[in-house]
DNA sequence: CCAAAAGTGTTATCTTTACACCCATGG
DNA sequence: CCATGGGTGTAAAGATAACACTTTTGG
């Protein structure tokens, strides 16, 4: 009952919403960025789209997302989670007219977190460009809604799951961690209360060392403690 | 970049975990049940599996889940949400040996809530049978893990989202609603506190009428108030 | 008038939030 | 010795949990 027929006009792709933090060009404040790829064929030729590709026959879904990430940024993700499977019949030709309805595509979309400083500069430039996540150009297909959804999920999840460290090096201060939360959520957070909440999660281990050269009291450095491994597919609460 | 090649050995299926409440055969307590379908071909012939089928070319994903539901129970779901896309290369031949690796199948799994009293008796019997969700026979493929995941999601979600009403008729008492929560979560809940919490969500509207003939004080009847419509694909928080 | 559940009230406890204040360093 | 964030303390406000108590029906 679960096996499927062979020749259907439905093809399967895996796309990935890749987030990184970098200063906003105008304000200088830390903001979310993501890489897009310029389409080189119809439909939506010339427009920007999420990186991705067809699912290979011998490839796991998450592996496909990882390969896309490697191709686009030159790195492995610090965090990777399935977002949603988008597969409505009409999603290829949403509001643009004039295109013949192409083959139907079901996209399984992942979202990932990487460190901007790790991104290989070399990969950039070709057909890949990074954009401020909240200020994107018009996107191909339904990718704008997908990004919105990924943003919502990231912002929700960072409030109840320790994923912020995925934007940071292995050792970091509580101010660093707080800066990530503030950038993602676009708020300011009380340093005192944030500290207590963060420590209460029991996911931070003090390294014992302090960061030096700060023109003020040296802040303690922490490391992220793995805790229990991921349970079911992904913890989505 | 998102479009896919044509002839890959990957086929797409949609399965659905359908939940309903019914008294437990031993204890008589309300419990979660779900329908399974007996497989009539290899692999896993004769074993029980989640209802589902191949995705039709002109069918939306959620529509496919609805059609499965209609076929299996004779009704439309009161609640339907995408659970996860399972697509690991090895998931067909998990731990059973002796089967040639069949075509690879990616399953997009939905979960649904229905009212047991609405289920058409007729549909039952054929190859469909209902089981206590926490006490299932061995299942085909990776369906046991999928059900576990669906159960976890339902139990998590009922605590912070008003979905319990999907098990109830349009008019119900707070005791009814509490009984649903207790059955799903397998606990007892304080009636006084439950009442306040439920009313605090602002999703319940009193009908003005009371249920009569109870051998005690007649409880007020409520109706579920839709509230804001579903935002992004599905609210997964 | 008794049992049983509906519904309201009250208090203790825990969590969240705001903000005062001391600490340690570089300049 | 001063500016700057690091780090601790604390009290008000809000949410949660436990449970006493009053209400309204059927038998």
């Amino acid at each position: 009952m679960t096996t499927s027929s062979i020749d259907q006009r439905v093809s399967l792709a895996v796309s990935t919403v890749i987030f990184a933090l970098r200063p906003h060009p105008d304000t200088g404040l830390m903001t979310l960025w993501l890489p897009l790829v310029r389409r080189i064929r119809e439909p939506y030729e010339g427009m920007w789209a999420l990186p991705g590709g067809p699912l290979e026959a011998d490839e796991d879904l998450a592996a496909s997302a990882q390969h896309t990430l490697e191709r686009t940024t030159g790195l492995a993700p610090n965090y990777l989670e399935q977002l949603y499977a988008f597969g409505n019949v009409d999603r290829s030709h949403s509001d643009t007219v004039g295109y013949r309805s192409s083959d139907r595509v079901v996209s399984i979309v992942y979202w990932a977190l990487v460190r901007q400083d790790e991104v290989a500069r070399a990969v950039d430039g070709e057909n890949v460009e990074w954009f401020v996540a909240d200020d994107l150009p018009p996107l191909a297909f339904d990718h704008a809604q997908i990004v919105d959804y990924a943003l919502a999920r990231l912002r929700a999840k960072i409030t109840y799951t320790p994923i912020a460290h995925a934007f940071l090096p292995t050792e970091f201060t509580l101010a660093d961690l707080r800066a990530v939360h503030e950038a993602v959520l676009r708020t300011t957070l009380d340093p005192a209360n944030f500290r207590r909440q963060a420590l209460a999660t029991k996911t931070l281990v003090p390294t014992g060392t302090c960061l030096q050269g700060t023109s003020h009291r040296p802040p303690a450095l922490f490391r992220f403690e793995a805790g229990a491994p991921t349970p079911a597919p992904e913890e989505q609460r």
Side-chain angles (χ1 to χ4, degrees), chain A:
Chain A
M1 263 307 193
T2 300
T3 34
S4 157
S5 63
I6 311 129
D7 85 317
Q8 45 187 8
R9 295 303 264 167
V10 181
S11 52
L12 234 181
V14 177
S15 300
T16 309
V17 185
I18 304 168
F19 291 114
L21 289 175
R22 187 201 287 194
H24 193 287
D26 302 343
T27 64
L29 294 169
M30 272 295 186
T31 330
L32 286 166
W33 293 67
L34 52 84
L36 297 174
V37 176
R38 196 187 285 280
R39 285 188 58 79
I40 53 174
R41 64 176 73 169
E42 294 294 345
Y44 297 100
E45 183 175 344
M47 287 187 87
W48 295 99
L50 289 172
L55 179 69
E56 302 298 329
D58 59 346
E59 208 180 29
D60 286 350
L61 297 177
S64 178
Q66 296 224 28
H67 294 153
T68 296
L69 216 142
E70 211 287 325
R71 225 180 308 126
T72 313
T73 66
L75 17 113
N78 293 329
Y79 184 81
L80 182 69
E81 182 185 310
Q82 195 182 103
L83 180 69
Y84 200 77
F86 296 88
N88 278 353
V89 172
D90 66 347
R91 62 180 223 103
S92 301
H93 23 149
S94 11
D95 38 21
T96 322
V97 265
Y99 292 120
R100 279 192 308 101
S101 104
S102 51
D103 268 8
R104 179 181 179 192
V105 179
V106 170
S107 289
I108 299 179
V109 179
Y110 279 74
W111 60 288
L113 307 182
V114 300
R115 284 168 49 195
Q116 183 68 49
D117 60 277
E118 288 184 336
V119 176
R121 266 258 166 257
V123 190
D124 209 298
E126 268 298 343
N127 282 310
V128 179
E129 199 169 313
W130 287 76
F131 296 88
V132 173
D134 289 300
D135 186 20
L136 298 178
L139 301 190
F141 306 105
D142 52 356
H143 289 190
Q145 294 137 66
I146 294 178
V147 170
D148 283 349
Y149 186 44
L151 268 170
R153 180 93 139 246
L154 165 59
R155 288 183 169 134
K157 196 140 189 176
I158 203 174
T159 63
Y160 62 85
T161 310
I163 50 171
H165 64 89
F167 285 119
L168 296 171
T170 41
E171 298 201 356
F172 50 85
T173 69
L174 281 168
D176 294 334
L177 192 67
R178 178 164 50 88
V180 170
H181 281 253
E182 290 181 335
V184 169
L185 298 172
R186 295 178 297 183
T187 4
T188 57
L189 297 169
D190 184 302
N193 294 333
F194 179 84
R195 176 191 192 80
R196 272 183 291 254
Q197 283 175 298
L199 294 176
T201 63
K202 302 285 183 192
T203 55
L204 298 179
V205 183
T207 64
T209 56
C210 287
L211 183 65
Q212 298 298 340
T214 47
S215 94
H216 61 272
R217 177 171 173 178
L221 286 168
F222 292 85
R223 194 186 297 276
F224 177 69
E225 170 58 42
T230 315
E234 263 113 34
E235 175 142 11
Q236 305 210 0
R237 188 172 175 192

